[in-house]
């Protein structure tokens, strides 16, 4: 239905934690799926945080840069996804982020085709969440925010949090108005830590509030540092209840903006170099015929049923597995092997002079006199 960007700012306002809460709380109709992409140029946090390092860092966004240059972006995307849905049903997926900020420059020319491809997943039944982190809405990755249906900025309702967010929100509003589809795509996800009410924050920033996320450090730590998201107390926590309310509000805003933009988009296409309409591309990127077929080889990260009824995608417990079947070699390549430089071939040994025995050959060794 939509591509929704979640952005943060100075002071760690909780963009990644909010994006994970939305992923697990996102309402899904039958046949629908939701995908979270970690696009933070400062590096991803889910592999070492919510997944507690139980998945090797061989999956992720960094592999898409090389694939894009080879024309294999669409195929490689499906090979990098991790299934974090309950019992491996494949309806809540994760594309891990960068493992090193030094990898971000290599994606400078990949952001735009990536967001176009993600928009093309809509006819396949996907909603997409983009975690832009603190700086992903600016610089080379600004196209992600410009092409998103909604940009949700997380802010804490403290004086320090609001003061740090003010210039970021002002710059983002101007950029969306100039290069995007309008500043009305911007909204606030307010983390209720401080004394300032949501209505006052929205009025001061002149940006509508998309929801108030409960300030619950213990519950939020399950999303940021790992824990049992299948636990009933977590599912029924105030944080997850407010995340579900925010997800409903986001979907309402997307539908409202789609209705507003649809007549203009149908009347005339966007000029070259200008903002693109929100209609899906003419030739959407289709996933492989059976993207969620179980691998015939034993899965390296097996799933297990979670007791207690339906849940919103456990991240704790059995480690998530890759969406697609494993490559022909069933043994996963370790991270150390993945980054090890290739072996340098040694030059051939020089041929011996006439009359000189080859190295290692039997016979008398001539000594210099």
């Amino acid at each position: 239905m939509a591509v929704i960007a979640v952005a943060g700012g100075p002071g760690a306002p909780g963009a990644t934690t909010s994006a994970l809460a939305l992923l697990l709380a996102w309402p899904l109709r039958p046949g629908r799926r939701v995908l979270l992409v970690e696009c933070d140029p400062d590096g991803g946090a889910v592999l070492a945080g919510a997944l507690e390092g139980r998945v090797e860092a061989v999956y992720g966004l960094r592999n898409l840069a090389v694939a894009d240059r080879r024309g294999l972006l669409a195929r490689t995307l499906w090979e990098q996804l991790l299934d974090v849905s309950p019992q491996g049903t494949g309806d809540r997926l994760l594309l891990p982020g960068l493992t090193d900020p030094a990898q971000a420059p290599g994606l400078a020319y990949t952001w735009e085709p990536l967001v176009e491809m993600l928009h093309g997943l809509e006819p396949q039944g996907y909603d997409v969440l983009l975690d832009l982190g603190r700086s992903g809405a600016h610089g080379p990755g600004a196209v992600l925010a410009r092409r998103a249906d909604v940009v949700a900025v997380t802010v804490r309702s403290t004086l320090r949090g609001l003061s740090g967010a003010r210039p970021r929100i002002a710059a983002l509003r101007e950029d969306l108005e100039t290069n995007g589809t309008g500043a009305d795509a911007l909204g606030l996800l307010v983390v209720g830590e401080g004394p300032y009410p949501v209505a006052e924050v929205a009025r001061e920033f002149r940006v509508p509030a998309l929801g108030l996320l409960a300030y619950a450090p213990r519950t939020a730590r399950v999303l940021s540092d790992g824990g049992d998201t299948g636990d009933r107390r977590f599912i029924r926590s105030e944080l997850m209840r407010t995340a579900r309310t925010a997800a409903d509000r986001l979907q309402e805003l997307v539908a409202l903006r789609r209705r507003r933009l649809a007549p203009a988009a149908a009347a005339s296409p966007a000029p070259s170099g200008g903002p693109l309409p929100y209609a899906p591309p003419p030739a959407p990127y289709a996933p492989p015929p059976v993207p969620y077929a179980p691998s015939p080889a034993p899965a390296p990260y097996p799933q297990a049923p979670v007791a207690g009824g339906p849940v919103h995608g456990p991240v704790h417990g059995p480690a998530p597995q890759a969406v697609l079947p494993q490559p022909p070699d069933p043994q996963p390549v370790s991270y150390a092997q993945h980054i090890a430089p290739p072996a340098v071939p040694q030059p051939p040994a020089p041929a011996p002079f006439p009359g000189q025995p080859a190295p290692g050959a039997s016979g008398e060794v001539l000594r210099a006199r």
Side-chain angles (χ1 to χ4, degrees):
M1 183 195 78
V3 174
I4 295 171
V6 180
T16 299
T17 300
S18 300
L20 278 171
L22 290 174
L23 172 68
L24 300 182
W26 198 258
L28 294 176
R29 301 190 303 273
R32 300 291 301 182
R33 299 181 178 91
V34 60
L35 165 63
L36 172 61
V37 182
E38 274 195 292
C39 300
D40 189 350
D42 296 326
V46 177
L47 283 180
L51 298 184
E52 301 177 289
R54 291 177 287 121
V55 178
E56 289 185 273
V58 296
Y59 300 98
L61 190 66
R62 62 175 181 168
N63 297 322
L64 299 186
V66 176
D68 181 35
R69 290 192 288 270
R70 296 177 178 175
L72 301 174
L73 181 61
R75 176 178 178 179
T76 305
L77 172 69
W78 300 106
E79 297 172 351
Q80 302 304 313
L81 300 184
L82 298 178
D83 182 2
V84 295
S85 56
Q87 303 176 8
T89 54
D91 52 6
R92 300 182 192 273
L93 306 174
L94 168 70
L95 176 61
L98 303 176
T99 56
D100 187 342
Q103 300 163 352
L107 288 162
Y109 299 100
T110 305
W111 295 126
E112 186 165 1
L114 175 61
V115 72
E116 291 293 340
M117 184 183 64
L118 294 175
H119 269 293
L121 295 180
E122 182 175 359
Q124 311 299 326
Y126 286 84
D127 295 328
V128 180
L129 302 171
L130 305 177
D131 174 17
L132 304 186
R134 302 182 187 182
S135 55
H138 309 278
V143 65
L144 300 174
R146 294 169 184 170
R147 302 286 174 85
D149 292 282
V150 172
V151 181
V153 181
T154 56
V155 297
R156 293 178 182 263
S157 58
T158 61
L159 181 59
R160 184 173 69 93
L162 298 177
S163 177
R166 180 185 295 275
R168 292 291 186 103
I169 292 176
L172 188 54
R173 181 196 295 112
E174 181 178 356
D175 185 64
L176 292 177
E177 189 64 39
T178 304
N179 303 307
T181 55
D184 61 340
L186 193 61
L188 298 178
L189 284 176
V190 182
V191 180
E193 179 182 0
Y196 301 98
V198 176
E200 183 179 345
V201 173
R203 184 171 58 253
E204 181 68 20
F205 286 163
R206 294 182 293 116
V207 176
L210 301 174
L212 173 66
L213 298 180
Y215 179 65
R218 180 176 299 180
T219 307
R221 195 173 297 116
V222 175
L223 298 172
S224 63
D225 297 293
D228 188 3
T229 58
D231 185 77
R232 288 179 176 270
R233 291 173 296 180
F234 174 82
I235 298 171
R236 299 176 179 178
S237 65
E238 186 179 5
L239 174 59
M240 296 307 296
R241 289 200 306 268
T242 54
R244 284 187 282 271
T245 302
D248 292 337
R249 180 72 182 97
L250 284 167
Q251 292 188 339
E252 292 173 2
L253 181 58
V254 169
L256 180 63
R257 297 197 73 244
R258 289 282 180 89
R259 288 195 296 268
R260 182 182 69 82
L261 294 172
S268 59
S272 177
L276 296 182
Y278 280 88
Y285 293 87
V290 189
Y292 299 104
S295 173
Y301 309 112
Q303 299 283 345
V306 179
V311 296
H312 293 279
V315 176
H316 186 76
Q321 62 185 32
V323 173
L324 290 184
Q326 296 295 318
D329 182 9
Q331 297 298 328
V333 180
S334 67
Y335 181 69
Q337 294 171 332
H338 185 77
I339 64 174
V344 179
Q346 298 297 328
F353 290 102
Q356 178 182 354
S362 60
E364 182 182 1
V365 178
L366 300 180
R367 291 182 172 82
R369 295 183 179 179

Coordinates of all heavy atoms in Angstrom, one line a residue, residues 83-139:
D83 N 13.4 -13.3 7.5 CA 12.0 -13.5 7.9 C 11.9 -13.4 9.4 O 12.5 -14.3 10.1 CB 11.5 -14.9 7.4 CG 10.0 -15.1 7.8 OD1 9.4 -14.3 8.4 OD2 9.5 -16.2 7.4
V84 N 11.3 -12.4 10.0 CA 11.2 -12.3 11.4 C 9.7 -12.4 11.8 O 9.3 -12.0 12.9 CB 11.7 -10.9 11.9 CG1 13.2 -10.8 11.6 CG2 10.9 -9.7 11.2
S85 N 8.9 -13.1 11.0 CA 7.5 -13.3 11.3 C 7.4 -14.6 12.1 O 8.2 -15.4 12.1 CB 6.7 -13.4 10.0 OG 7.2 -14.4 9.2
P86 N 6.2 -14.7 12.8 CA 6.1 -15.9 13.6 C 5.9 -17.2 12.7 O 5.3 -17.2 11.7 CB 4.8 -15.7 14.4 CG 4.1 -14.6 13.6 CD 5.1 -13.8 12.9
Q87 N 6.6 -18.2 13.1 CA 6.6 -19.5 12.5 C 7.0 -19.5 11.0 O 6.6 -20.3 10.2 CB 5.1 -20.1 12.6 CG 4.7 -20.2 14.0 CD 3.2 -20.7 14.1 OE1 2.6 -21.1 13.1 NE2 2.7 -20.7 15.3
G88 N 7.8 -18.5 10.6 CA 8.3 -18.4 9.3 C 7.3 -18.2 8.2 O 7.4 -18.7 7.1
T89 N 6.2 -17.5 8.5 CA 5.1 -17.3 7.5 C 5.5 -16.3 6.5 O 4.8 -16.1 5.5 CB 3.9 -16.8 8.3 OG1 4.2 -15.6 9.1 CG2 3.3 -17.9 9.2
G90 N 6.6 -15.5 6.7 CA 7.1 -14.6 5.6 C 6.2 -13.3 5.4 O 6.3 -12.7 4.4
D91 N 5.5 -12.9 6.4 CA 4.7 -11.7 6.2 C 5.3 -10.5 6.9 O 4.8 -9.4 6.7 CB 3.3 -11.9 6.7 CG 3.2 -12.4 8.1 OD1 4.3 -12.5 8.8 OD2 2.1 -12.7 8.6
R92 N 6.4 -10.6 7.7 CA 7.1 -9.5 8.3 C 8.6 -9.8 8.0 O 9.2 -10.7 8.6 CB 6.8 -9.4 9.8 CG 5.3 -9.2 10.1 CD 5.0 -9.0 11.5 NE 3.6 -9.1 11.7 CZ 2.7 -8.1 11.6 NH1 3.2 -6.9 11.4 NH2 1.5 -8.2 11.8
L93 N 9.2 -8.9 7.2 CA 10.5 -9.2 6.6 C 11.4 -8.0 7.0 O 11.0 -6.9 7.3 CB 10.5 -9.3 5.1 CG 9.5 -10.4 4.6 CD1 9.5 -10.3 3.1 CD2 9.9 -11.8 5.0
L94 N 12.7 -8.3 7.0 CA 13.7 -7.3 7.4 C 14.9 -7.4 6.4 O 15.4 -8.5 6.1 CB 14.3 -7.6 8.8 CG 15.5 -6.8 9.2 CD1 15.2 -5.3 9.4 CD2 16.1 -7.4 10.5
L95 N 15.3 -6.2 5.9 CA 16.6 -6.1 5.1 C 17.5 -5.4 6.0 O 17.4 -4.2 6.3 CB 16.3 -5.3 3.9 CG 17.6 -5.0 3.0 CD1 18.3 -6.3 2.6 CD2 17.3 -4.1 1.8
P96 N 18.5 -6.1 6.6 CA 19.5 -5.4 7.5 C 20.3 -4.3 6.9 O 20.5 -4.3 5.6 CB 20.4 -6.6 8.0 CG 19.6 -7.8 7.7 CD 18.8 -7.5 6.5
G97 N 20.7 -3.4 7.7 CA 21.5 -2.2 7.2 C 22.9 -2.5 7.0 O 23.4 -3.6 7.1
L98 N 23.7 -1.4 6.9 CA 25.1 -1.4 6.7 C 25.8 -1.9 8.0 O 25.3 -1.6 9.1 CB 25.6 -0.1 6.3 CG 25.0 0.5 5.0 CD1 25.6 1.9 4.8 CD2 25.3 -0.3 3.8
T99 N 26.9 -2.6 7.9 CA 27.7 -2.9 9.0 C 28.8 -2.0 9.3 O 29.5 -2.0 10.4 CB 28.3 -4.3 8.8 OG1 29.1 -4.3 7.6 CG2 27.2 -5.4 8.7
D100 N 29.0 -1.0 8.4 CA 30.1 0.0 8.6 C 29.7 1.2 7.8 O 29.3 1.2 6.6 CB 31.4 -0.6 8.0 CG 32.6 0.3 8.3 OD1 32.4 1.5 8.6 OD2 33.8 -0.2 8.1
P101 N 29.7 2.4 8.5 CA 29.4 3.6 7.8 C 30.2 3.9 6.5 O 29.8 4.6 5.6 CB 29.6 4.7 8.8 CG 29.5 4.0 10.1 CD 30.0 2.6 9.9
A102 N 31.4 3.3 6.5 CA 32.3 3.5 5.3 C 31.7 2.9 4.0 O 32.1 3.2 2.9 CB 33.7 2.9 5.6
Q103 N 30.7 2.0 4.2 CA 30.0 1.4 3.1 C 29.0 2.3 2.4 O 28.5 2.1 1.3 CB 29.4 0.1 3.5 CG 30.3 -0.9 4.0 CD 29.6 -2.0 4.8 OE1 28.4 -2.0 5.1 NE2 30.4 -3.0 5.2
A104 N 28.6 3.4 3.1 CA 27.5 4.2 2.6 C 27.8 4.9 1.3 O 26.9 5.0 0.4 CB 27.1 5.3 3.7
P105 N 29.0 5.5 1.1 CA 29.2 6.1 -0.2 C 29.0 5.2 -1.4 O 28.7 5.6 -2.5 CB 30.7 6.5 -0.1 CG 31.0 6.7 1.3 CD 30.1 5.6 2.0
G106 N 29.2 3.9 -1.3 CA 29.0 3.0 -2.4 C 27.5 2.8 -2.8 O 27.3 2.3 -3.9
L107 N 26.6 3.3 -2.0 CA 25.2 3.2 -2.3 C 24.6 4.6 -2.8 O 23.4 4.7 -3.0 CB 24.4 2.9 -1.0 CG 24.5 1.4 -0.5 CD1 24.1 1.3 0.9 CD2 23.7 0.5 -1.4
A108 N 25.5 5.5 -3.1 CA 25.0 6.8 -3.5 C 24.2 6.8 -4.8 O 23.2 7.5 -4.9 CB 26.2 7.8 -3.8
Y109 N 24.5 5.9 -5.7 CA 23.7 5.8 -6.9 C 22.7 4.6 -6.9 O 22.1 4.3 -7.9 CB 24.7 5.5 -8.1 CG 25.7 6.7 -8.3 CD1 27.0 6.6 -7.9 CD2 25.2 7.9 -9.0 CE1 27.8 7.7 -8.1 CE2 26.1 8.9 -9.1 CZ 27.4 8.8 -8.7 OH 28.3 9.9 -8.9
T110 N 22.6 4.0 -5.7 CA 21.6 2.9 -5.6 C 20.4 3.3 -4.9 O 19.3 2.6 -5.1 CB 22.3 1.7 -4.8 OG1 23.5 1.4 -5.5 CG2 21.4 0.5 -4.8
W111 N 20.4 4.4 -4.2 CA 19.2 4.8 -3.4 C 18.0 5.0 -4.3 O 16.9 4.5 -4.0 CB 19.5 6.0 -2.6 CG 20.5 5.9 -1.5 CD1 21.6 6.7 -1.4 CD2 20.5 5.0 -0.4 NE1 22.3 6.3 -0.2 CE2 21.6 5.3 0.4 CE3 19.6 4.0 0.0 CZ2 21.9 4.6 1.5 CZ3 19.9 3.3 1.1 CH2 21.1 3.6 1.9
E112 N 18.2 5.7 -5.4 CA 17.1 6.0 -6.3 C 16.5 4.8 -6.9 O 15.2 4.5 -6.9 CB 17.4 7.0 -7.4 CG 16.3 7.5 -8.2 CD 16.6 8.8 -9.0 OE1 17.7 9.3 -8.9 OE2 15.7 9.2 -9.7
P113 N 17.2 3.9 -7.6 CA 16.6 2.7 -8.1 C 16.0 1.8 -7.1 O 15.1 1.1 -7.3 CB 17.8 2.0 -8.9 CG 19.0 2.6 -8.4 CD 18.7 4.0 -8.0
L114 N 16.6 1.8 -5.9 CA 16.1 1.0 -4.8 C 14.7 1.5 -4.4 O 13.8 0.7 -4.2 CB 17.0 1.0 -3.6 CG 16.5 0.3 -2.3 CD1 16.3 -1.2 -2.6 CD2 17.5 0.5 -1.1
V115 N 14.5 2.8 -4.2 CA 13.2 3.2 -3.8 C 12.2 3.1 -4.9 O 11.0 2.8 -4.6 CB 13.3 4.7 -3.3 CG1 13.5 5.7 -4.5 CG2 12.0 5.1 -2.5
E116 N 12.6 3.2 -6.2 CA 11.7 2.9 -7.3 C 11.2 1.4 -7.2 O 10.1 1.1 -7.5 CB 12.4 3.2 -8.6 CG 12.6 4.7 -8.8 CD 11.3 5.5 -9.0 OE1 10.3 4.9 -9.3 OE2 11.3 6.7 -8.8
M117 N 12.2 0.5 -7.0 CA 11.8 -0.9 -6.9 C 10.9 -1.2 -5.8 O 10.0 -2.0 -5.9 CB 13.1 -1.7 -6.8 CG 12.8 -3.2 -6.9 SD 14.4 -4.1 -6.6 CE 14.8 -3.7 -5.0
L118 N 11.1 -0.5 -4.6 CA 10.2 -0.7 -3.5 C 8.8 -0.3 -3.7 O 7.9 -0.9 -3.3 CB 10.8 -0.1 -2.2 CG 12.2 -0.6 -1.8 CD1 12.7 0.2 -0.6 CD2 12.0 -2.1 -1.3
H119 N 8.7 0.9 -4.4 CA 7.4 1.3 -4.8 C 6.7 0.3 -5.8 O 5.5 0.1 -5.7 CB 7.4 2.7 -5.5 CG 7.3 3.8 -4.6 ND1 6.1 4.1 -4.0 CD2 8.2 4.8 -4.2 CE1 6.3 5.2 -3.2 NE2 7.5 5.6 -3.4
G120 N 7.5 -0.4 -6.6 CA 7.0 -1.4 -7.5 C 6.5 -2.6 -6.8 O 5.8 -3.5 -7.5
L121 N 6.8 -2.8 -5.5 CA 6.4 -4.0 -4.8 C 4.9 -3.9 -4.4 O 4.3 -4.9 -3.9 CB 7.2 -4.2 -3.6 CG 8.7 -4.6 -3.8 CD1 9.4 -4.8 -2.5 CD2 8.9 -5.8 -4.7
E122 N 4.3 -2.7 -4.5 CA 3.0 -2.5 -4.0 C 2.0 -3.5 -4.7 O 1.1 -4.1 -4.0 CB 2.5 -1.1 -4.2 CG 1.2 -0.8 -3.7 CD 0.8 0.7 -3.8 OE1 1.7 1.5 -4.2 OE2 -0.3 1.1 -3.4
P123 N 2.0 -3.6 -6.0 CA 1.0 -4.6 -6.6 C 1.2 -6.0 -6.1 O 0.3 -6.8 -6.3 CB 1.3 -4.5 -8.1 CG 2.0 -3.1 -8.3 CD 2.8 -2.9 -7.0
Q124 N 2.4 -6.3 -5.6 CA 2.7 -7.7 -5.0 C 2.2 -7.8 -3.6 O 2.3 -8.9 -3.0 CB 4.2 -8.0 -5.1 CG 4.8 -7.7 -6.4 CD 4.2 -8.5 -7.6 OE1 3.8 -9.6 -7.4 NE2 4.2 -7.9 -8.8
G125 N 1.6 -6.8 -3.0 CA 1.0 -6.9 -1.7 C 1.9 -6.5 -0.6 O 1.8 -7.0 0.6
Y126 N 2.9 -5.6 -0.8 CA 3.9 -5.2 0.2 C 3.7 -3.8 0.6 O 3.4 -2.9 -0.2 CB 5.3 -5.3 -0.4 CG 5.8 -6.8 -0.5 CD1 5.5 -7.5 -1.6 CD2 6.5 -7.4 0.5 CE1 5.9 -8.8 -1.7 CE2 7.0 -8.7 0.4 CZ 6.7 -9.4 -0.7 OH 7.1 -10.7 -0.8
D127 N 3.8 -3.6 1.9 CA 4.0 -2.2 2.5 C 5.5 -2.2 2.9 O 6.0 -3.2 3.4 CB 3.1 -2.0 3.7 CG 1.6 -2.0 3.4 OD1 1.3 -1.5 2.3 OD2 0.8 -2.4 4.2
V128 N 6.1 -1.0 2.8 CA 7.5 -0.9 3.0 C 7.8 0.2 4.0 O 7.2 1.3 3.9 CB 8.3 -0.6 1.7 CG1 9.8 -0.5 2.0 CG2 8.0 -1.7 0.7
L129 N 8.6 -0.1 5.1 CA 9.0 0.9 6.0 C 10.5 1.1 5.8 O 11.3 0.1 5.7 CB 8.8 0.4 7.5 CG 7.3 0.0 7.8 CD1 7.3 -0.7 9.2 CD2 6.5 1.3 7.9
L130 N 10.9 2.4 5.8 CA 12.3 2.7 5.6 C 12.8 3.4 6.9 O 12.3 4.4 7.3 CB 12.5 3.7 4.5 CG 12.0 3.3 3.1 CD1 12.2 4.4 2.1 CD2 12.6 2.0 2.6
D131 N 13.8 2.8 7.5 CA 14.5 3.4 8.7 C 15.6 4.2 8.2 O 16.7 3.7 7.8 CB 15.0 2.3 9.6 CG 15.8 2.8 10.8 OD1 15.7 4.0 11.1 OD2 16.5 2.0 11.4
L132 N 15.4 5.6 8.2 CA 16.5 6.5 7.7 C 17.4 6.9 8.8 O 18.4 7.6 8.5 CB 15.8 7.7 7.1 CG 14.8 7.5 6.0 CD1 14.3 8.8 5.4 CD2 15.4 6.6 4.9
G133 N 17.2 6.6 10.0 CA 18.1 6.9 11.1 C 18.2 8.4 11.3 O 17.3 9.2 11.0
R134 N 19.4 8.9 11.8 CA 19.6 10.3 12.1 C 19.8 11.1 10.8 O 19.4 12.3 10.8 CB 20.7 10.5 13.1 CG 20.6 9.7 14.4 CD 21.7 10.0 15.3 NE 21.7 9.1 16.5 CZ 22.5 9.2 17.5 NH1 23.5 10.0 17.4 NH2 22.4 8.3 18.5
S135 N 20.5 10.6 9.9 CA 21.0 11.4 8.7 C 20.5 10.9 7.4 O 20.9 11.4 6.4 CB 22.5 11.5 8.8 OG 23.1 10.3 8.8
G136 N 19.7 9.8 7.3 CA 19.3 9.3 6.0 C 18.4 10.1 5.2 O 18.2 9.8 4.0
A137 N 17.7 11.1 5.8 CA 16.8 11.9 5.1 C 17.5 13.1 4.4 O 16.9 13.9 3.7 CB 15.7 12.5 6.0
H138 N 18.8 13.2 4.5 CA 19.6 14.2 3.9 C 20.8 13.6 3.2 O 21.1 12.5 3.3 CB 20.1 15.2 5.0 CG 19.0 15.7 6.0 ND1 18.2 16.7 5.7 CD2 18.7 15.2 7.2 CE1 17.3 16.9 6.7 NE2 17.6 16.0 7.6
G139 N 21.4 14.4 2.3 CA 22.5 14.0 1.5 C 22.1 13.1 0.4 O 21.0 13.2 -0.1

